């Protein structure tokens, strides 16, 4: 088990370095580069741009810039924002809570509904419910997230007036109920695609377990269908879902970027787009690395948890 953990840690670190190298190269070699925002300042001269470039170390070879940036990153210095000179980690931490709340709520919704739909679809195979769940999943996976968000705003906010169109809370009213009401639409929209994914995977995993010999043996012993389902089927069908949970983090982050933009949710996704438009490269790189670390940690945690609960993987 120790060797397995060390192997996975080593793979994650190598992948993190590769992500940082590619991201740093793409941002610095993009048209305009980090100096593009300074070039728009009225009265800026080429001599002043050259001086700023030397002060920021941008006149050095790209590999030297990367090595210096990565060494400072390892020491906890993620740089400062071009916009307000705040430390990048402070900027990200100010928006991480909103994204965590949105992603956490969407995950609870998607896992709960998706698991139930998948199990019911497997136990009621080829029924009207199963066909409806399949069609619904295909529709949810085919239509862009932003479209669902705009439709939800049009129906529930503009037409019915039941829910607010955006933001995280009403200014001057930071109560728990106000936060919850603002969270409903973005969380449901973000969870929609994951519900489709979870239901399909859960249906397949449940059907695979139902056809196993130990399930038929339990039925032959006279156990009720409900007890067989809860005691023998669900627990074994959920094992592959642990790995899926880790793989869903990139999907949630990508969906959060769109959802936060549509609903003006003050999270990391909206911060990324704002920073990209402002060409605030230190914040963009910080968000890229922060997201990469979250994805790698979630995949590592899912792999380790799967190995812990499944002795076949642990012993191998």
């Amino acid at each position: 088990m120790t060797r397995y953990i060390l192997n996975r840690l080593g793979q994650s670190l190598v992948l993190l370095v590769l992500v940082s190298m590619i991201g740093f190269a793409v941002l610095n070699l993009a048209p305009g580069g980090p100096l593009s925002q300074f070039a728009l300042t009225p009265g800026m001269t080429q001599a002043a741009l050259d001086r700023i470039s030397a002060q920021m170390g941008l006149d050095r070879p790209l590999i030297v810039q990367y090595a210096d940036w990565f060494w400072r990153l390892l020491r906890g210095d993620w740089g400062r924002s071009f916009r307000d000179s705040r430390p990048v980690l402070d900027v990200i931490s100010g928006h991480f809570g909103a994204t965590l709340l949105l992603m956490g709520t969407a995950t609870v919704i998607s896992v709960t509904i998706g698991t139930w739909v998948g199990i019911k679809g497997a136990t009621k195979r080829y029924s009207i419910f199963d066909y409806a769940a399949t069609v619904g999943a295909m529709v949810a996976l085919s239509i862009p997230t932003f479209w669902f968000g705009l439709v939800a705003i049009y129906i529930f906010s503009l037409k019915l007036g039941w829910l607010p169109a955006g933001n995280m809370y009403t200014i001057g009213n930071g109560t728990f109920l106000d936060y919850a009401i603002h969270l409903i639409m973005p969380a449901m929209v973000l969870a929609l695609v994951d519900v489709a994914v979870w239901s399909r995977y859960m249906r397949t995993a449940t059907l695979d377990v139902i056809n196993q010999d130990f399930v038929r043996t339990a039925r032959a012993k006279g156990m009720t269908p409900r007890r067989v389902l809860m005691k023998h089927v669900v627990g074994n069908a959920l094992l592959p879902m642990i790995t899926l949970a880790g793989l869903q983090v990139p999907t949630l982050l990508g969906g959060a970027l769109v959802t936060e933009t549509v609903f003006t949710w003050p999270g990391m996704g909206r911060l990324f787009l704002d920073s990209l438009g402002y060409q605030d490269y230190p914040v963009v790189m910080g968000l890229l690395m922060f997201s990469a670390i979250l994805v790698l940690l979630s995949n590592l945690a899912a792999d380790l948890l799967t190995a812990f609960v499944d002795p076949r993987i642990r012993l191998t």
Side-chain angles (χ1 to χ4, degrees), residues 106-107 110-111 114 141 190-199 248 251-252:
T107 300
S110 60
V111 170
L141 291 171
L190 181 57
L192 193 59
V193 174
D194 282 342
V195 168
V197 174
W198 271 90
S199 63
Q248 286 300 100
T251 304
L252 283 170

Side-chain angles (χ1 to χ4, degrees), residues 60-224:
R60 298 173 298 173
L62 186 61
I63 187 65
V64 177
Q65 296 180 44
Y66 170 77
D68 179 62
W69 170 82
F70 194 74
W71 174 243
R72 288 188 286 107
L73 185 76
L74 293 177
R75 293 183 296 168
D77 180 10
W78 290 42
R80 289 185 173 273
S81 170
F82 287 163
R83 188 183 304 189
D84 53 15
S85 297
R86 291 172 57 202
V88 170
L89 279 179
D90 290 350
V91 176
I92 295 175
S93 62
H95 294 77
F96 176 63
T99 297
L100 185 63
L101 176 62
L102 180 60
M103 289 177 56
T105 306
T107 300
V108 171
I109 294 172
S110 60
V111 170
T112 303
I113 299 178
T115 300
W116 178 79
V117 171
I119 293 174
K120 189 172 180 62
T123 55
K124 304 291 184 181
R125 193 177 183 185
Y126 302 133
S127 64
I128 295 178
F129 177 87
D130 188 28
Y131 284 122
T134 301
V135 172
M138 294 301 103
V139 171
L141 291 171
S142 302
I143 299 179
T145 303
F146 74 87
W147 187 86
F148 283 118
L150 295 176
V151 170
I153 291 174
Y154 179 75
I155 295 175
F156 296 107
S157 182
L158 297 181
K159 287 296 183 181
L160 300 177
W162 291 353
L163 297 170
N167 293 319
M168 189 175 179
Y169 58 89
T170 303
I171 297 177
N173 182 17
T175 62
F176 174 80
L177 181 60
D178 185 60
Y179 275 93
I181 292 175
H182 281 79
L183 181 62
I184 292 175
M185 270 205 299
M188 292 298 295
V189 169
L190 181 57
L192 193 59
V193 174
D194 282 342
V195 168
V197 174
W198 271 90
S199 63
R200 294 295 87 197
Y201 274 97
M202 193 64 197
R203 180 183 183 275
T204 303
T206 303
L207 286 174
D208 183 60
V209 175
I210 286 176
N211 295 322
Q212 297 295 320
D213 292 337
F214 68 88
V215 175
R216 285 193 287 266
T217 301
R219 289 171 177 166
K221 288 181 178 180
M223 294 180 67
T224 62

Side-chain angles (χ1 to χ4, degrees), residues 15-89:
L15 187 57
L16 186 63
V17 172
L18 290 176
V19 169
S20 68
M21 292 175 65
I22 294 173
F24 190 88
V26 169
L27 286 179
N28 281 272
L29 295 177
L35 291 176
S36 55
Q37 61 159 331
F38 299 103
L40 299 176
T41 304
M44 180 63 66
T45 63
Q46 184 60 45
L49 281 176
D50 293 339
R51 185 171 60 254
I52 294 174
S53 177
Q55 291 173 351
M56 298 175 62
L58 299 176
D59 56 342
R60 298 173 298 173
L62 186 61
I63 187 65
V64 177
Q65 296 180 44
Y66 170 77
D68 179 62
W69 170 82
F70 194 74
W71 174 243
R72 288 188 286 107
L73 185 76
L74 293 177
R75 293 183 296 168
D77 180 10
W78 290 42
R80 289 185 173 273
S81 170
F82 287 163
R83 188 183 304 189
D84 53 15
S85 297
R86 291 172 57 202
V88 170
L89 279 179

Side-chain angles (χ1 to χ4, degrees), residues 222-304:
M223 294 180 67
T224 62
R226 181 178 179 81
R227 189 178 179 188
V228 171
L229 179 67
M230 300 306 297
K231 186 175 181 179
H232 295 285
V233 176
V234 174
N236 287 281
L238 283 174
L239 283 176
M241 299 299 105
I242 298 175
T243 303
L244 179 63
L247 296 176
Q248 286 300 100
V249 172
T251 304
L252 283 170
L253 286 172
L257 189 148
V258 177
T259 305
E260 289 175 2
T261 302
V262 172
F263 292 98
T264 60
W265 189 266
M268 294 196 307
R270 190 179 176 197
L271 174 65
F272 180 82
L273 288 181
D274 290 345
S275 300
L276 203 59
Y278 191 78
Q279 295 179 323
D280 194 348
Y281 290 122
V283 175
V284 173
M285 274 304 302
L287 286 168
L288 176 64
M289 294 302 297
F290 194 82
S291 301
I293 292 172
L294 284 180
V295 171
L296 292 175
L297 286 178
S298 63
N299 288 334
L300 181 62
D303 288 345
L304 295 180

